[in-house]
Amino acid sequence: MSEKYEAGMAVRRDVLGDAHVDRAEATKTGLDEPFQSLITEAAWGTVWASDAISRRERSMLTLALLAATGNFAEIPMHIRATANTGASREDVMEAFQHVAIYAGVPAANHAIKLARETYAEMDAA
């Protein structure tokens, strides 16, 4: 494995947690292995591993971008990750308010719904 892959896997585990990464690794197949390697090296080993901005800020940016682009399926995963990145619930709501103004109220509204549901699940656990 490359240095980027190793760094990416470490950051991915720090941000998403061992249980999430272990589940993803256990279901990896030959078909999606190249994709998993790509995101581990590029997203986690390059972008998330950079110390140019904090993980708290990265969480807020990631959540805002996911909502703004309508990629809602990953929002709950990244909401759960805020427990490890330091982004507070207030930080997340601020990010989604930006989404409302710059990308549309429906996108922000759906993201907030997902955040509320995910936080409720986290609180219940």
Side-chain angles (χ1 to χ4, degrees), residues 11-17 20 44 48 54-64 66 74-96 111 114-123:
V11 172
R12 190 175 170 203
R13 287 184 178 282
D14 285 348
V15 172
L16 300 178
H20 174 87
W44 298 106
W48 275 87
S54 70
R55 288 187 182 169
R56 173 185 164 265
E57 294 165 317
R58 271 186 216 290
S59 275
M60 294 165 65
L61 285 167
T62 300
L63 285 162
L66 288 170
E74 290 203 0
I75 286 178
M77 175 182 70
H78 281 282
I79 290 289
R80 285 187 291 277
T82 63
N84 300 324
T85 65
S88 69
R89 294 174 187 207
E90 294 77 16
D91 291 337
V92 171
M93 292 308 297
E94 288 295 324
F96 290 155
L114 293 170
R116 282 194 333 256
E117 291 170 355
T118 306
Y119 285 134
E121 291 169 8
M122 292 168 67
D123 291 343

Side-chain angles (χ1 to χ4, degrees), residues 1-28 32-50 55 84:
M1 294 296 153
S2 72
E3 284 185 36
K4 288 278 189 190
Y5 184 90
E6 295 300 327
M9 190 56 76
V11 172
R12 190 175 170 203
R13 287 184 178 282
D14 285 348
V15 172
L16 300 178
D18 287 330
H20 174 87
V21 175
D22 289 344
R23 279 191 307 275
E25 288 294 296
T27 61
K28 185 169 61 175
D32 67 336
E33 192 281 326
F35 173 76
Q36 292 295 323
S37 292
L38 172 70
I39 62 172
T40 299
E41 290 182 354
W44 298 106
T46 301
V47 175
W48 275 87
S50 169
R55 288 187 182 169
N84 300 324

